[in-house]
Amino acid sequence: MAERQQPPMTVASSGPEFSIQDIPFSYRGSWLDISPVIAEGTYAEDLHLVSHQTGMHPVLRLIPAAAGTTVVASPAVLTWRNGDGRIEAVYDGPDTLRIRGRRLGLRVVAAERILTPFSGTYLYLDPVDGSHVFTSYETGRRYRITMLTGTPHRAEGVEALGTADRTLELPADRSWEIAIEEHTTARRPYAGSATFDELRRARSTEFTAFADAVAPWRGADTPAAELAAYVLWSATVAPAGFVTRPAVLMSKHWMDKVWSWDHCFNAIALAAGEPELAWHQFHLPFDHQDPAGALPDSITHSEVLHNYVKPPIHGWALRHLRQRLARQPDRSALAETYDRLARWTRFWLDARRARGHELPYYQHGNDSGWDNATTFDGGRVVQTADLAAFLVSQLRCLADLADELGEPADRWSQEADRIRAAMIRDLWDGERFTTRNPRTGQLTTSRSLLGLMPVALGADLPVAIAAALARGVEAHLTTHGLATEPTVSAHYVADGYWRGPIWAPSTVLVEDGLRRAGHTGIADDIGRRFLALCEKSGFAENFDAETGAGLRDRAYTWTASSYLIIAAAQTQRRVNDG
């Protein structure tokens, strides 16, 4: 291949800068990212090219030749800097990266040194075009490196078997540019049609258009909105494997799945500006609905899990999604949605109620989404008020959809009334909701915020109960937001997952329910604290309730979406108030 003349590197605005330690460098539609995160809670010293096909797999280490190199990340370009040396990376579509260097070398090294008949990476030189190709057992794909400018300094481990360093080394004493492509078995030699700087401008333009669509209201008082948009944009993948639609993964770190309630918050956040993508988010889990009507626990590229389910917040979510759509779905789309939502609801009514009981039950904390909440310390198989409340909301949504479609609606409304009455009669103790064992009838209490989640019913609650729940919510409020277990509880754990930390979905559900119940003061307070938390600590999976520090996966899309949901509503209220 003839060498291309490399133009001087230029610096252009390409979106907000972010820490590559917290947020991976990726691109809408891509299953790739560049990050030091190579497994759950595992941070490598070097950045890696990571693929999320067939799981999360670090494939190639990207090692700059000089010690003390710093990294600057933005939506359009990733830059390594060392003195006057620089390496830059940009996406040329979802499966290709362009990387160029000037006065700074780079070693591209197989992340796995050991090649066996069933695992590891192999390296060979392709006689067709002179490219170096790494093949990965872990992803089942190939990673072709084509020189566009310059020549490699050296290659090691070509055609080596067993244990070896498989490396392509790019020089520090002259300029170079490469393309790295992820593909299956064969494709035509790489022939990019755009220069590096043209690609950077295109990526910057694409991201800005996305941010303008999902957060047109952003400004100085919502300083994290643009980065929240990037977290969503960069975590979006094209359909592949079991992912039947364009999907926003929960993260392109190790939480690289779509769970069957997380997706609802992403759908709501996207609805106003990216309605088609939002609709896909809502429906993706329903594409894997089983014969009983249940949604899977989670979906990712190469697995669909049915060993748990997630809570039925989908009626609540659909209302919010549709309120934000500029144009409503046509009758065919609504009819399909109605059928899917009805089957999901019937699963809870038919398969998750003990004989003679009005209230459904969870089989494990995972079914609630609050995996290890103290609610479940007294027993895993329990009837809980949050489940009943979500189901009431979903039944009322079904009644409205039935009316809209000219179908009988009374059955849904009457069932909602029965479950609401049973929830209050059987679980309300005068201050909060208890849980009940469906076999023995034994009641248990905990201090988990989960016991207050029926506040999500808003005005569908009796006024006195809504007021009591609002008082209970205040006891969970720290400087930074809603602790899932009060910090004074004997069971509080700072990094205890659902036993203390602040989470985005509970914040959105509580804030929305309080507002609709008329408790706007505390709702405003919760919203302000959550926005400030994200602006301080980013979009972590959850947060330390006392310090506000981000915990676990640091680039979680439902957190970014929750920021956008609350910030958009706050901005609109300010406009309305003049």
mmCIF file of all heavy atoms in Angstrom, residues 288-327:
data_model
loop_
_atom_site.group_PDB
_atom_site.id
_atom_site.type_symbol
_atom_site.label_atom_id
_atom_site.label_comp_id
_atom_site.label_asym_id
_atom_site.label_seq_id
_atom_site.Cartn_x
_atom_site.Cartn_y
_atom_site.Cartn_z
ATOM 1 N N HIS A 288 -37.144 -10.568 23.900
ATOM 2 C CA HIS A 288 -36.755 -11.854 24.485
ATOM 3 C C HIS A 288 -37.765 -12.316 25.536
ATOM 4 O O HIS A 288 -37.440 -13.124 26.398
ATOM 5 C CB HIS A 288 -35.364 -11.738 25.093
ATOM 6 C CG HIS A 288 -34.295 -11.466 24.088
ATOM 7 N ND1 HIS A 288 -33.728 -12.446 23.309
ATOM 8 C CD2 HIS A 288 -33.707 -10.290 23.714
ATOM 9 C CE1 HIS A 288 -32.820 -11.899 22.503
ATOM 10 N NE2 HIS A 288 -32.783 -10.599 22.731
ATOM 11 N N GLN A 289 -38.989 -11.812 25.455
ATOM 12 C CA GLN A 289 -40.049 -12.214 26.368
ATOM 13 C C GLN A 289 -40.304 -13.712 26.228
ATOM 14 O O GLN A 289 -40.398 -14.235 25.122
ATOM 15 C CB GLN A 289 -41.307 -11.413 26.032
ATOM 16 C CG GLN A 289 -42.352 -11.345 27.097
ATOM 17 C CD GLN A 289 -43.382 -10.249 26.810
ATOM 18 O OE1 GLN A 289 -43.456 -9.731 25.689
ATOM 19 N NE2 GLN A 289 -44.156 -9.880 27.823
ATOM 20 N N ASP A 290 -40.401 -14.419 27.347
ATOM 21 C CA ASP A 290 -40.552 -15.875 27.260
ATOM 22 C C ASP A 290 -42.040 -16.264 27.160
ATOM 23 O O ASP A 290 -42.923 -15.394 27.241
ATOM 24 C CB ASP A 290 -39.834 -16.566 28.419
ATOM 25 C CG ASP A 290 -40.556 -16.464 29.759
ATOM 26 O OD1 ASP A 290 -41.700 -15.957 29.814
ATOM 27 O OD2 ASP A 290 -39.981 -16.914 30.771
ATOM 28 N N PRO A 291 -42.349 -17.547 26.964
ATOM 29 C CA PRO A 291 -43.754 -17.956 26.788
ATOM 30 C C PRO A 291 -44.659 -17.595 27.961
ATOM 31 O O PRO A 291 -45.867 -17.429 27.781
ATOM 32 C CB PRO A 291 -43.656 -19.475 26.599
ATOM 33 C CG PRO A 291 -42.301 -19.695 26.020
ATOM 34 C CD PRO A 291 -41.430 -18.671 26.687
ATOM 35 N N ALA A 292 -44.083 -17.471 29.155
ATOM 36 C CA ALA A 292 -44.886 -17.088 30.315
ATOM 37 C C ALA A 292 -45.142 -15.586 30.369
ATOM 38 O O ALA A 292 -45.923 -15.117 31.208
ATOM 39 C CB ALA A 292 -44.195 -17.536 31.601
ATOM 40 N N GLY A 293 -44.492 -14.832 29.491
ATOM 41 C CA GLY A 293 -44.640 -13.377 29.484
ATOM 42 C C GLY A 293 -43.535 -12.644 30.206
ATOM 43 O O GLY A 293 -43.494 -11.414 30.193
ATOM 44 N N ALA A 294 -42.620 -13.381 30.856
ATOM 45 C CA ALA A 294 -41.563 -12.748 31.643
ATOM 46 C C ALA A 294 -40.502 -12.140 30.742
ATOM 47 O O ALA A 294 -40.162 -12.686 29.686
ATOM 48 C CB ALA A 294 -40.918 -13.764 32.580
ATOM 49 N N LEU A 295 -39.960 -11.021 31.187
ATOM 50 C CA LEU A 295 -38.792 -10.434 30.544
ATOM 51 C C LEU A 295 -37.547 -11.085 31.118
ATOM 52 O O LEU A 295 -37.535 -11.523 32.277
ATOM 53 C CB LEU A 295 -38.744 -8.926 30.786
ATOM 54 C CG LEU A 295 -39.936 -8.111 30.284
ATOM 55 C CD1 LEU A 295 -39.666 -6.622 30.479
ATOM 56 C CD2 LEU A 295 -40.247 -8.414 28.834
ATOM 57 N N PRO A 296 -36.477 -11.143 30.356
ATOM 58 C CA PRO A 296 -35.226 -11.695 30.910
ATOM 59 C C PRO A 296 -34.657 -10.770 31.969
ATOM 60 O O PRO A 296 -35.013 -9.589 32.042
ATOM 61 C CB PRO A 296 -34.306 -11.765 29.689
ATOM 62 C CG PRO A 296 -34.814 -10.689 28.782
ATOM 63 C CD PRO A 296 -36.307 -10.663 28.975
ATOM 64 N N ASP A 297 -33.782 -11.319 32.773
ATOM 65 C CA ASP A 297 -33.056 -10.499 33.731
ATOM 66 C C ASP A 297 -32.151 -9.519 32.985
ATOM 67 O O ASP A 297 -32.133 -8.333 33.286
ATOM 68 C CB ASP A 297 -32.225 -11.394 34.655
ATOM 69 C CG ASP A 297 -31.446 -10.588 35.682
ATOM 70 O OD1 ASP A 297 -32.081 -9.975 36.545
ATOM 71 O OD2 ASP A 297 -30.199 -10.578 35.604
ATOM 72 N N SER A 298 -31.405 -10.039 31.989
ATOM 73 C CA SER A 298 -30.463 -9.191 31.254
ATOM 74 C C SER A 298 -30.168 -9.784 29.891
ATOM 75 O O SER A 298 -30.398 -10.974 29.643
ATOM 76 C CB SER A 298 -29.152 -9.032 32.039
ATOM 77 O OG SER A 298 -28.503 -10.281 32.183
ATOM 78 N N ILE A 299 -29.656 -8.914 29.042
ATOM 79 C CA ILE A 299 -29.295 -9.272 27.665
ATOM 80 C C ILE A 299 -27.948 -8.655 27.362
ATOM 81 O O ILE A 299 -27.685 -7.498 27.738
ATOM 82 C CB ILE A 299 -30.316 -8.712 26.654
ATOM 83 C CG1 ILE A 299 -31.743 -9.170 26.969
ATOM 84 C CG2 ILE A 299 -29.944 -9.088 25.219
ATOM 85 C CD1 ILE A 299 -32.756 -8.095 26.691
ATOM 86 N N THR A 300 -27.101 -9.406 26.706
ATOM 87 C CA THR A 300 -25.886 -8.830 26.147
ATOM 88 C C THR A 300 -25.562 -9.580 24.862
ATOM 89 O O THR A 300 -26.359 -10.390 24.390
ATOM 90 C CB THR A 300 -24.734 -8.851 27.159
ATOM 91 O OG1 THR A 300 -23.649 -8.065 26.646
ATOM 92 C CG2 THR A 300 -24.261 -10.257 27.458
ATOM 93 N N HIS A 301 -24.408 -9.301 24.294
ATOM 94 C CA HIS A 301 -24.079 -9.824 22.968
ATOM 95 C C HIS A 301 -24.308 -11.315 22.842
ATOM 96 O O HIS A 301 -24.901 -11.785 21.858
ATOM 97 C CB HIS A 301 -22.623 -9.485 22.639
ATOM 98 C CG HIS A 301 -22.171 -9.968 21.294
ATOM 99 N ND1 HIS A 301 -21.686 -11.244 21.079
ATOM 100 C CD2 HIS A 301 -22.136 -9.353 20.091
ATOM 101 C CE1 HIS A 301 -21.377 -11.396 19.809
ATOM 102 N NE2 HIS A 301 -21.625 -10.251 19.183
ATOM 103 N N SER A 302 -23.864 -12.092 23.821
ATOM 104 C CA SER A 302 -23.846 -13.542 23.656
ATOM 105 C C SER A 302 -24.590 -14.312 24.740
ATOM 106 O O SER A 302 -24.386 -15.516 24.897
ATOM 107 C CB SER A 302 -22.391 -14.037 23.590
ATOM 108 O OG SER A 302 -21.742 -13.488 22.460
ATOM 109 N N GLU A 303 -25.452 -13.626 25.508
ATOM 110 C CA GLU A 303 -26.248 -14.344 26.494
ATOM 111 C C GLU A 303 -27.534 -13.595 26.799
ATOM 112 O O GLU A 303 -27.592 -12.363 26.726
ATOM 113 C CB GLU A 303 -25.470 -14.596 27.790
ATOM 114 C CG GLU A 303 -25.208 -13.342 28.593
ATOM 115 C CD GLU A 303 -24.523 -13.611 29.930
ATOM 116 O OE1 GLU A 303 -23.876 -14.667 30.066
ATOM 117 O OE2 GLU A 303 -24.629 -12.750 30.822
ATOM 118 N N VAL A 304 -28.547 -14.379 27.112
ATOM 119 C CA VAL A 304 -29.816 -13.866 27.636
ATOM 120 C C VAL A 304 -30.102 -14.666 28.898
ATOM 121 O O VAL A 304 -30.183 -15.896 28.845
ATOM 122 C CB VAL A 304 -30.966 -14.036 26.625
ATOM 123 C CG1 VAL A 304 -32.273 -13.502 27.209
ATOM 124 C CG2 VAL A 304 -30.652 -13.330 25.312
ATOM 125 N N LEU A 305 -30.228 -13.980 30.032
ATOM 126 C CA LEU A 305 -30.404 -14.661 31.308
ATOM 127 C C LEU A 305 -31.854 -14.584 31.769
ATOM 128 O O LEU A 305 -32.453 -13.501 31.780
ATOM 129 C CB LEU A 305 -29.500 -14.053 32.375
ATOM 130 C CG LEU A 305 -27.987 -14.109 32.101
ATOM 131 C CD1 LEU A 305 -27.216 -13.509 33.267
ATOM 132 C CD2 LEU A 305 -27.534 -15.543 31.837
ATOM 133 N N HIS A 306 -32.395 -15.733 32.169
ATOM 134 C CA HIS A 306 -33.770 -15.805 32.654
ATOM 135 C C HIS A 306 -33.850 -16.307 34.094
ATOM 136 O O HIS A 306 -34.937 -16.664 34.559
ATOM 137 C CB HIS A 306 -34.598 -16.730 31.756
ATOM 138 C CG HIS A 306 -34.910 -16.155 30.402
ATOM 139 N ND1 HIS A 306 -35.933 -15.260 30.191
ATOM 140 C CD2 HIS A 306 -34.321 -16.339 29.191
ATOM 141 C CE1 HIS A 306 -35.973 -14.925 28.910
ATOM 142 N NE2 HIS A 306 -35.001 -15.557 28.278
ATOM 143 N N ASN A 307 -32.707 -16.387 34.792
ATOM 144 C CA ASN A 307 -32.741 -16.936 36.150
ATOM 145 C C ASN A 307 -33.351 -15.984 37.168
ATOM 146 O O ASN A 307 -33.752 -16.403 38.247
ATOM 147 C CB ASN A 307 -31.344 -17.381 36.610
ATOM 148 C CG ASN A 307 -30.300 -16.295 36.429
ATOM 149 O OD1 ASN A 307 -30.369 -15.481 35.516
ATOM 150 N ND2 ASN A 307 -29.311 -16.274 37.310
ATOM 151 N N TYR A 308 -33.427 -14.703 36.840
ATOM 152 C CA TYR A 308 -34.160 -13.723 37.632
ATOM 153 C C TYR A 308 -34.974 -12.870 36.665
ATOM 154 O O TYR A 308 -34.855 -12.989 35.438
ATOM 155 C CB TYR A 308 -33.224 -12.835 38.455
ATOM 156 C CG TYR A 308 -32.401 -13.591 39.474
ATOM 157 C CD1 TYR A 308 -31.028 -13.801 39.275
ATOM 158 C CD2 TYR A 308 -32.984 -14.106 40.618
ATOM 159 C CE1 TYR A 308 -30.273 -14.504 40.208
ATOM 160 C CE2 TYR A 308 -32.230 -14.818 41.548
ATOM 161 C CZ TYR A 308 -30.882 -15.015 41.334
ATOM 162 O OH TYR A 308 -30.147 -15.716 42.247
ATOM 163 N N VAL A 309 -35.808 -12.003 37.221
ATOM 164 C CA VAL A 309 -36.498 -10.996 36.420
ATOM 165 C C VAL A 309 -36.143 -9.634 37.021
ATOM 166 O O VAL A 309 -35.269 -9.523 37.864
ATOM 167 C CB VAL A 309 -38.028 -11.226 36.391
ATOM 168 C CG1 VAL A 309 -38.360 -12.499 35.639
ATOM 169 C CG2 VAL A 309 -38.620 -11.247 37.800
ATOM 170 N N LYS A 310 -36.816 -8.615 36.568
ATOM 171 C CA LYS A 310 -36.656 -7.282 37.134
ATOM 172 C C LYS A 310 -38.047 -6.695 37.380
ATOM 173 O O LYS A 310 -39.046 -7.196 36.858
ATOM 174 C CB LYS A 310 -35.836 -6.400 36.181
ATOM 175 C CG LYS A 310 -34.348 -6.739 36.200
ATOM 176 C CD LYS A 310 -33.711 -6.418 37.537
ATOM 177 C CE LYS A 310 -32.259 -6.849 37.662
ATOM 178 N NZ LYS A 310 -32.129 -8.256 38.082
ATOM 179 N N PRO A 311 -38.156 -5.634 38.185
ATOM 180 C CA PRO A 311 -39.472 -5.139 38.602
ATOM 181 C C PRO A 311 -40.264 -4.544 37.440
ATOM 182 O O PRO A 311 -39.688 -4.004 36.497
ATOM 183 C CB PRO A 311 -39.124 -4.068 39.643
ATOM 184 C CG PRO A 311 -37.752 -3.607 39.256
ATOM 185 C CD PRO A 311 -37.050 -4.837 38.758
ATOM 186 N N PRO A 312 -41.584 -4.620 37.514
ATOM 187 C CA PRO A 312 -42.438 -4.144 36.407
ATOM 188 C C PRO A 312 -42.659 -2.634 36.445
ATOM 189 O O PRO A 312 -43.773 -2.152 36.679
ATOM 190 C CB PRO A 312 -43.733 -4.918 36.637
ATOM 191 C CG PRO A 312 -43.802 -5.106 38.123
ATOM 192 C CD PRO A 312 -42.375 -5.303 38.564
ATOM 193 N N ILE A 313 -41.599 -1.896 36.179
ATOM 194 C CA ILE A 313 -41.717 -0.428 36.149
ATOM 195 C C ILE A 313 -42.080 0.060 34.747
ATOM 196 O O ILE A 313 -42.094 1.267 34.493
ATOM 197 C CB ILE A 313 -40.420 0.259 36.623
ATOM 198 C CG1 ILE A 313 -39.279 0.056 35.604
ATOM 199 C CG2 ILE A 313 -40.001 -0.217 38.003
ATOM 200 C CD1 ILE A 313 -38.097 0.972 35.839
ATOM 201 N N HIS A 314 -42.410 -0.857 33.856
ATOM 202 C CA HIS A 314 -42.514 -0.507 32.439
ATOM 203 C C HIS A 314 -43.756 0.309 32.110
ATOM 204 O O HIS A 314 -43.743 1.114 31.169
ATOM 205 C CB HIS A 314 -42.423 -1.780 31.606
ATOM 206 C CG HIS A 314 -41.134 -2.506 31.848
ATOM 207 N ND1 HIS A 314 -40.955 -3.320 32.953
ATOM 208 C CD2 HIS A 314 -39.950 -2.492 31.186
ATOM 209 C CE1 HIS A 314 -39.714 -3.796 32.943
ATOM 210 N NE2 HIS A 314 -39.092 -3.302 31.891
ATOM 211 N N GLY A 315 -44.840 0.131 32.870
ATOM 212 C CA GLY A 315 -45.994 0.995 32.674
ATOM 213 C C GLY A 315 -45.676 2.416 33.094
ATOM 214 O O GLY A 315 -46.010 3.384 32.386
ATOM 215 N N TRP A 316 -45.020 2.560 34.251
ATOM 216 C CA TRP A 316 -44.566 3.883 34.687
ATOM 217 C C TRP A 316 -43.655 4.494 33.644
ATOM 218 O O TRP A 316 -43.802 5.679 33.273
ATOM 219 C CB TRP A 316 -43.830 3.739 36.029
ATOM 220 C CG TRP A 316 -43.122 4.962 36.489
ATOM 221 C CD1 TRP A 316 -43.646 5.982 37.228
ATOM 222 C CD2 TRP A 316 -41.752 5.330 36.218
ATOM 223 N NE1 TRP A 316 -42.691 6.950 37.448
ATOM 224 C CE2 TRP A 316 -41.513 6.582 36.836
ATOM 225 C CE3 TRP A 316 -40.714 4.722 35.530
ATOM 226 C CZ2 TRP A 316 -40.282 7.223 36.776
ATOM 227 C CZ3 TRP A 316 -39.487 5.352 35.471
ATOM 228 C CH2 TRP A 316 -39.274 6.594 36.086
ATOM 229 N N ALA A 317 -42.717 3.704 33.144
ATOM 230 C CA ALA A 317 -41.742 4.235 32.180
ATOM 231 C C ALA A 317 -42.408 4.612 30.863
ATOM 232 O O ALA A 317 -42.062 5.640 30.252
ATOM 233 C CB ALA A 317 -40.648 3.201 31.932
ATOM 234 N N LEU A 318 -43.344 3.794 30.403
ATOM 235 C CA LEU A 318 -43.991 4.077 29.117
ATOM 236 C C LEU A 318 -44.741 5.403 29.165
ATOM 237 O O LEU A 318 -44.727 6.174 28.193
ATOM 238 C CB LEU A 318 -44.937 2.938 28.743
ATOM 239 C CG LEU A 318 -45.614 3.058 27.378
ATOM 240 C CD1 LEU A 318 -44.583 3.085 26.251
ATOM 241 C CD2 LEU A 318 -46.610 1.920 27.170
ATOM 242 N N ARG A 319 -45.392 5.696 30.283
ATOM 243 C CA ARG A 319 -46.069 6.989 30.406
ATOM 244 C C ARG A 319 -45.081 8.136 30.240
ATOM 245 O O ARG A 319 -45.331 9.100 29.505
ATOM 246 C CB ARG A 319 -46.743 7.096 31.769
ATOM 247 C CG ARG A 319 -48.016 6.289 31.930
ATOM 248 C CD ARG A 319 -48.663 6.643 33.259
ATOM 249 N NE ARG A 319 -49.814 5.807 33.539
ATOM 250 C CZ ARG A 319 -51.029 6.023 33.055
ATOM 251 N NH1 ARG A 319 -51.231 7.044 32.235
ATOM 252 N NH2 ARG A 319 -52.031 5.218 33.366
ATOM 253 N N HIS A 320 -43.963 8.033 30.935
ATOM 254 C CA HIS A 320 -42.977 9.109 30.857
ATOM 255 C C HIS A 320 -42.360 9.198 29.469
ATOM 256 O O HIS A 320 -42.115 10.301 28.959
ATOM 257 C CB HIS A 320 -41.889 8.889 31.914
ATOM 258 C CG HIS A 320 -42.316 9.299 33.285
ATOM 259 N ND1 HIS A 320 -42.275 10.606 33.712
ATOM 260 C CD2 HIS A 320 -42.818 8.585 34.319
ATOM 261 C CE1 HIS A 320 -42.722 10.687 34.953
ATOM 262 N NE2 HIS A 320 -43.057 9.467 35.348
ATOM 263 N N LEU A 321 -42.096 8.071 28.860
ATOM 264 C CA LEU A 321 -41.538 8.067 27.507
ATOM 265 C C LEU A 321 -42.494 8.775 26.547
ATOM 266 O O LEU A 321 -42.088 9.663 25.785
ATOM 267 C CB LEU A 321 -41.287 6.622 27.078
ATOM 268 C CG LEU A 321 -40.483 6.354 25.806
ATOM 269 C CD1 LEU A 321 -39.934 4.928 25.835
ATOM 270 C CD2 LEU A 321 -41.317 6.515 24.542
ATOM 271 N N ARG A 322 -43.763 8.405 26.587
ATOM 272 C CA ARG A 322 -44.726 8.969 25.637
ATOM 273 C C ARG A 322 -44.970 10.454 25.889
ATOM 274 O O ARG A 322 -45.230 11.212 24.945
ATOM 275 C CB ARG A 322 -46.036 8.188 25.701
ATOM 276 C CG ARG A 322 -45.903 6.759 25.174
ATOM 277 C CD ARG A 322 -47.258 6.094 25.032
ATOM 278 N NE ARG A 322 -48.052 6.736 24.012
ATOM 279 C CZ ARG A 322 -49.353 6.481 23.806
ATOM 280 N NH1 ARG A 322 -49.981 5.616 24.591
ATOM 281 N NH2 ARG A 322 -50.020 7.093 22.847
ATOM 282 N N GLN A 323 -44.881 10.880 27.141
ATOM 283 C CA GLN A 323 -45.039 12.304 27.423
ATOM 284 C C GLN A 323 -43.959 13.140 26.754
ATOM 285 O O GLN A 323 -44.169 14.318 26.462
ATOM 286 C CB GLN A 323 -44.987 12.536 28.936
ATOM 287 C CG GLN A 323 -46.225 12.089 29.684
ATOM 288 C CD GLN A 323 -46.019 12.081 31.190
ATOM 289 O OE1 GLN A 323 -44.978 12.526 31.699
ATOM 290 N NE2 GLN A 323 -47.000 11.574 31.927
ATOM 291 N N ARG A 324 -42.822 12.539 26.483
ATOM 292 C CA ARG A 324 -41.692 13.261 25.927
ATOM 293 C C ARG A 324 -41.595 13.146 24.406
ATOM 294 O O ARG A 324 -40.782 13.852 23.796
ATOM 295 C CB ARG A 324 -40.397 12.757 26.582
ATOM 296 C CG ARG A 324 -40.262 13.181 28.034
ATOM 297 C CD ARG A 324 -39.251 12.340 28.781
ATOM 298 N NE ARG A 324 -38.946 12.863 30.113
ATOM 299 C CZ ARG A 324 -39.733 12.727 31.171
ATOM 300 N NH1 ARG A 324 -40.876 12.053 31.061
ATOM 301 N NH2 ARG A 324 -39.393 13.229 32.336
ATOM 302 N N LEU A 325 -42.340 12.238 23.809
ATOM 303 C CA LEU A 325 -42.269 12.052 22.360
ATOM 304 C C LEU A 325 -42.969 13.196 21.633
ATOM 305 O O LEU A 325 -44.107 13.557 21.966
ATOM 306 C CB LEU A 325 -42.922 10.733 21.964
ATOM 307 C CG LEU A 325 -42.220 9.442 22.398
ATOM 308 C CD1 LEU A 325 -43.060 8.228 21.999
ATOM 309 C CD2 LEU A 325 -40.834 9.353 21.788
ATOM 310 N N ALA A 326 -42.314 13.737 20.630
ATOM 311 C CA ALA A 326 -42.932 14.794 19.829
ATOM 312 C C ALA A 326 -44.062 14.241 18.977
ATOM 313 O O ALA A 326 -45.043 14.942 18.689
ATOM 314 C CB ALA A 326 -41.874 15.458 18.944
ATOM 315 N N ARG A 327 -43.921 12.991 18.561
ATOM 316 C CA ARG A 327 -44.967 12.346 17.760
ATOM 317 C C ARG A 327 -45.230 10.959 18.338
ATOM 318 O O ARG A 327 -44.288 10.204 18.576
ATOM 319 C CB ARG A 327 -44.544 12.242 16.290
ATOM 320 C CG ARG A 327 -45.664 11.743 15.388
ATOM 321 C CD ARG A 327 -45.326 11.961 13.935
ATOM 322 N NE ARG A 327 -44.264 11.080 13.478
ATOM 323 C CZ ARG A 327 -43.773 11.074 12.243
ATOM 324 N NH1 ARG A 327 -44.245 11.943 11.347
ATOM 325 N NH2 ARG A 327 -42.821 10.246 11.887
#
